[in-house]
Amino acid sequence: MRVTSSLWVGAFVRRCYGEGLTAVVVRRGAEEAGAIFIILDKLDGVVDLYGPAPQSAVEDSGSDRLFQKIASAAAQAEISARLEREGRFDPDFWVVAVEDRAGRVLFETVAEDAPR
C-alpha cells in the first residue's frame, strides 16, 4: 500500500531539515494521492525540477515513489511556467522547494534517460 502524499511530503520535509537543508511546501495538493513535484534550488541560479516518474518505472522498482528530472538548470520562470501548465492539467499536485548548494537529491529517482 502506498503512503499518502501528505505523509510522504511531511516526512521528506523533516528529512531535509535533518540534513540541514531548507525545505518548504509551496503548494498543497490532494492529501491522499496528489502528484508531488520537487524544486531543487542550488542557490547559484541553477534550479532543477523533479516530478513523478512514469508508472511503469515505479512498478518495476518496487519503490513507493520515484521521481524523474523534468527540467535541469532551468530559470525560475521556466519552472513556474511548467508548474502552471501542470495546474491546468491536474490541480491537485504538491510542490516542495528545497535549497541545497550541493544539489543533493534526497529522494529516489529514475535514470535521466528514462522515457517520460
Side-chain angles (χ1 to χ4, degrees):
M1 188 167 105
R2 190 175 199 183
V3 301
T4 65
S5 296
S6 177
L7 181 64
W8 191 93
V9 167
F12 176 66
V13 168
R14 282 190 296 283
R15 179 173 182 206
C16 288
Y17 277 106
E19 295 286 331
L21 307 178
T22 300
V24 177
V25 177
V26 177
R27 178 185 173 122
R28 294 183 60 86
E31 295 287 320
E32 296 295 319
I36 301 168
F37 291 84
I38 300 171
I39 299 170
L40 181 58
D41 188 344
K42 298 175 187 169
L43 301 172
D44 61 356
V46 176
V47 181
D48 296 334
L49 176 65
Y50 292 84
Q55 191 61 36
S56 60
V58 174
E59 290 169 356
D60 292 345
S61 76
S63 177
D64 184 39
R65 297 213 187 246
L66 278 177
F67 293 86
Q68 183 173 28
K69 189 181 284 188
I70 297 171
S72 181
Q76 188 61 43
E78 181 184 340
I79 300 292
S80 296
R82 172 65 173 87
L83 292 173
E84 185 178 315
R85 286 191 308 274
E86 181 66 29
R88 288 193 299 266
F89 174 72
D90 175 17
D92 293 332
F93 68 97
W94 293 75
V95 178
V96 180
V98 179
E99 294 179 344
D100 182 17
R101 290 187 192 285
R104 292 174 287 175
V105 177
L106 301 178
F107 45 89
E108 292 185 65
T109 62
V110 297
E112 287 191 37
D113 59 352
R116 293 181 185 202

